[in-house]
């Protein structure tokens, strides 16, 4: 299963009774392992979980901590980028040159690097003096 297929498959499993906006994310770790996640809403709206965060949690639980590639899919007219918080979460485990491909269910796509998605990211190196 390709990374795109994994993201599309998990997108269908999203729990979104409030927004009805299903998102799926798949991550290929540097090890080659693939991890996926979908958004999960909660009636206490800010308490939901984004698809990217779910995929990252699965990756860390699987023993990997370095991202090689990301695919995010949503049923929208334009490719949907990760929210700001998820961009920072992805950047924790992905270098600036890691690509994030955003797909729609009808075949549109946009690929960007982490650096393009989150220029000037807060990074581990900023904590060197802590």
């Amino acid at each position: 299963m390709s990374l795109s297929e994994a993201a599309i498959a998990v997108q269908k499993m999203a729990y979104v009774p409030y927004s009805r906006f299903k998102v799926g994310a798949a991550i290929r770790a540097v090890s080659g392992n693939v991890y996926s996640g979908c958004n999960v809403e909660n009636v206490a709206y800010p308490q939901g979980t984004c698809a990217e965060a779910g995929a990252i949690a699965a990756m860390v639980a699987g023993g990997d901590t370095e991202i090689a590639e990301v695919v995010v899919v949503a049923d929208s007219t334009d490719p949907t980028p990760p929210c700001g918080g998820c961009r920072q979460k992805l950047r924790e485990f992905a270098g600036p040159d890691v690509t994030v491909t955003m797909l729609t269910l009808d075949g549109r796509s946009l690929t960007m690097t982490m650096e393009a998605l989150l220029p000037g990211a807060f990074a581990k190196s900023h904590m060197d003096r802590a």
Side-chain angles (χ1 to χ4, degrees):
M1 180 180 289
S2 73
L3 206 55
S4 296
E5 291 169 331
I8 291 166
V10 76
Q11 184 261 356
K12 295 173 185 170
M13 303 305 293
Y15 178 76
V16 292
Y18 309 103
S19 73
R20 296 192 236 333
F21 188 72
K22 294 183 175 189
V23 180
I27 292 171
R28 182 179 325 281
V30 170
S31 68
N33 293 329
V34 172
Y35 302 94
S36 58
C38 59
N39 55 328
V40 179
E41 294 179 348
N42 185 291
V43 71
Y45 217 77
Q47 299 303 315
T49 303
C50 294
E52 299 88 343
I56 290 167
M59 177 187 73
V60 171
D64 283 309
T65 57
E66 198 172 346
I67 296 174
E69 181 183 5
V70 181
V71 172
V72 179
V73 63
D75 188 14
S76 59
T77 55
D78 294 313
T80 303
C83 71
C86 283
R87 292 177 197 205
Q88 184 66 49
K89 288 176 180 91
L90 288 166
R91 186 61 179 87
E92 179 72 16
F93 302 99
D97 296 328
V98 168
T99 58
V100 178
T101 300
M102 297 148 276
L103 303 174
T104 67
L105 292 179
D106 51 350
R108 295 188 66 199
S109 70
L110 174 64
T111 300
M112 299 176 73
T113 63
M114 280 302 311
E115 178 63 27
L117 273 173
L118 188 62
F122 183 70
K124 295 173 190 174
S125 62
H126 291 108
M127 301 291 289
D128 286 347
R129 291 179 142 180

